[in-house]
Amino acid sequence: HTDYVTSLSLSPDGTKLASASWDKTIRCWDACSGEPIEQPLQHDFLFAVTFSPSGEFVASGGYDRKVSIWRVPWWVEGRKQARHLRPPAGRRRIESSSPPPAQAAHFTPIPIATPNQHCPDTARNLNHIRSNFAHDLTGYVVQEGEEPITSGSFGDIYRGKLRLDGKSIDVAVKAIRTYSADDGDDAQKNKKLRRELKTWAKLDHVNILPLFGTTMNFGRFPAMVCPWLENGSLTSYLERRHGTLNYVERVSLISDAAAGLQYLHSQSIIHGDLSGSNVLIDANGRAFISDFGLSTLLTKLGGSTYATSSHVQGTLRWTAPELLDFQVPEDEENPPDVFPTPQSDVYSFGSIMLQILTGKVPYHYCIRDAQVLSAILKGMIPTRPSRELVTDRQWTFMQRCWMPVGAGESRPSDDEIVEFARQELVLIEKATL
């Protein structure tokens, strides 16, 4: 586990152990060898786990007031058919939590909320299919509609269907936007882009959007194929739902973003453009970080992809000031390179945190980006929201995230932002006791 273990349960026959942790996973172990069995299951706000008396099922519960029941993978097939899980007569049904990630495909979740409840495909329970994909999915992706559904920082996003091995999966196809004529070097750039995107395809974390592969026929460069997340970007999700999101759900989004960013940095990957448009939300309200490293990558590819002389329009409100490079270069032919760092990602995280708690983008009172830029030039951070929305503890932490480079106090580390989010959940727990 990557966080505190909250519960342990030994199987009735004494051969297996199940553990629950604040890292939102349930893990099963061989009690004799200590080796893990299968891949971990997922449950937010996880507090307790236990085996059923027969050893056929594992039940998990959390502070989200949900219970999930899972059939363990080692159960003999004949016994599976002989046993059925039915809620006792006269008892109300309990809402189930999100389904497990698909790399734990041999675990069968037993939904106990509504008999006909359908759990939609999510980024995690489709993740196991990635191992069967070739990185080049050209010919397997069918575009839906002529126009893009939306536009992101660096490209246009289309909805499509990925059809492979008899399966049809809703996907998002992100095509890199180009703005100049062919410079004759596309083959080399395509090769470099594919090589860099392989790093993304190898990542595996519950808060990182999986990359299935790439496809051509969506522009001059390979387009990225990812799971389609119904709730879209964090910004649009908060605009629709912030009035109905409870405090636990908001803190959960902060925790998801913190965990995803910590994982990226642990893999030596810097996001470089973290904003409300590239934190995506699935049907279960889980946050996924996407588009990491694209700003640096596309800058390296050259001017045919993206106007590298200025920051991406629309993400300025989340951008660390040191990346804006206000100084006029002394050497016009060789301007200094300005690259993002883990610390600039932490600055952006502070702005994500503010957005989640208030439901509004940073500097929401500034209508135009020029006004935001003017505020940043003057060293002004966003205005402090009311204490009903943001506690003093939360505001102090955000201010640390926004500390200027070279100031006396450094910005928080990845471990600190994850620990802060965990402590926020602990405070919620204590308040409910």
Side-chain angles (χ1 to χ4, degrees), residues 26 54 114 119 121 124 183 294 308 338 347 361 394 405 413:
I26 305 158
S54 67
T114 304
C119 295
D121 288 333
R124 298 310 301 176
D183 57 11
L294 284 184
T308 58
V338 178
Y347 180 99
V361 298
Q394 292 165 343
V405 173
S413 66

Side-chain angles (χ1 to χ4, degrees), residues 204-284:
D204 185 15
H205 188 273
V206 68
N207 299 118
I208 297 298
L209 185 70
L211 176 67
F212 288 158
T214 59
T215 181
M216 298 303 294
N217 305 323
F218 284 83
R220 287 166 53 191
F221 296 97
M224 292 155 277
V225 181
C226 302
W228 178 267
L229 301 190
E230 288 294 339
N231 276 320
S233 70
L234 175 67
T235 298
S236 62
Y237 180 67
L238 292 176
E239 288 173 351
R240 297 190 311 271
R241 287 285 322 277
H242 185 73
T244 61
L245 288 176
N246 62 44
Y247 188 64
V248 172
E249 290 171 320
R250 282 181 280 149
V251 174
S252 177
L253 290 173
I254 293 172
S255 177
D256 288 345
L261 189 61
Q262 180 192 47
Y263 174 76
L264 283 181
H265 290 171
S266 74
Q267 303 299 305
S268 301
I269 296 173
I270 298 169
H271 193 291
D273 194 46
L274 186 63
S275 72
S277 64
N278 48 43
V279 176
L280 305 179
I281 313 298
D282 74 0
N284 297 308

Side-chain angles (χ1 to χ4, degrees), residues 154-341:
F154 303 103
D156 299 314
I157 297 141
Y158 297 84
R159 185 165 186 166
K161 290 282 189 183
L162 175 59
R163 294 173 179 168
L164 190 69
D165 296 336
K167 300 179 182 294
S168 181
I169 302 167
D170 289 326
V171 293
V173 182
K174 174 163 257 187
I176 297 172
R177 191 182 302 116
T178 58
Y179 68 93
S180 69
D182 190 352
D183 57 11
D185 196 27
D186 280 4
Q188 188 64 27
K189 290 178 178 179
N190 281 341
K191 183 178 179 180
K192 185 172 185 177
L193 179 61
R194 288 183 184 278
R195 183 173 64 249
E196 295 291 335
L197 289 178
K198 282 183 180 179
T199 301
W200 181 357
K202 292 177 182 177
L203 298 180
D204 185 15
H205 188 273
V206 68
N207 299 118
I208 297 298
L209 185 70
L211 176 67
F212 288 158
T214 59
T215 181
M216 298 303 294
N217 305 323
F218 284 83
R220 287 166 53 191
F221 296 97
M224 292 155 277
V225 181
C226 302
W228 178 267
L229 301 190
E230 288 294 339
N231 276 320
S233 70
L234 175 67
T235 298
S236 62
Y237 180 67
L238 292 176
E239 288 173 351
R240 297 190 311 271
R241 287 285 322 277
H242 185 73
T244 61
L245 288 176
N246 62 44
Y247 188 64
V248 172
E249 290 171 320
R250 282 181 280 149
V251 174
S252 177
L253 290 173
I254 293 172
S255 177
D256 288 345
L261 189 61
Q262 180 192 47
Y263 174 76
L264 283 181
H265 290 171
S266 74
Q267 303 299 305
S268 301
I269 296 173
I270 298 169
H271 193 291
D273 194 46
L274 186 63
S275 72
S277 64
N278 48 43
V279 176
L280 305 179
I281 313 298
D282 74 0
N284 297 308
R286 185 188 295 274
F288 295 77
I289 295 179
S290 68
D291 293 353
F292 33 85
L294 284 184
S295 59
T296 302
L297 171 60
L298 297 184
T299 297
K300 290 179 179 178
L301 289 180
S304 62
T305 58
Y306 167 59
T308 58
S309 60
S310 63
H311 203 270
V312 183
Q313 184 178 7
T315 63
L316 175 65
R317 296 169 187 269
W318 294 265
T319 303
E322 63 268 22
L323 298 184
L324 299 176
D325 193 19
F326 300 120
Q327 302 298 321
V328 177
E330 296 180 2
D331 186 349
E332 295 182 0
E333 295 184 359
N334 298 288
D337 291 327
V338 178
F339 291 112
T341 64

Side-chain angles (χ1 to χ4, degrees), residues 354 358 362-366 380-386 390 395 402:
L354 175 68
T358 64
Y363 302 100
H364 62 91
Y365 41 83
C366 295
M380 298 170 60
I381 63 173
T383 302
R384 200 241 193 268
S386 71
V390 176
W395 180 245
W402 298 328

Side-chain angles (χ1 to χ4, degrees), residues 20-53:
S21 168
W22 274 103
D23 65 6
K24 305 179 183 179
T25 66
I26 305 158
R27 298 175 184 268
C28 292
W29 313 83
D30 186 296
C32 295
S33 67
E35 294 296 318
I37 303 172
E38 298 292 332
Q39 296 293 324
L41 309 171
Q42 303 294 330
H43 189 150
D44 288 347
F45 310 110
L46 190 56
F47 178 73
V49 65
T50 186
F51 278 97
S52 66

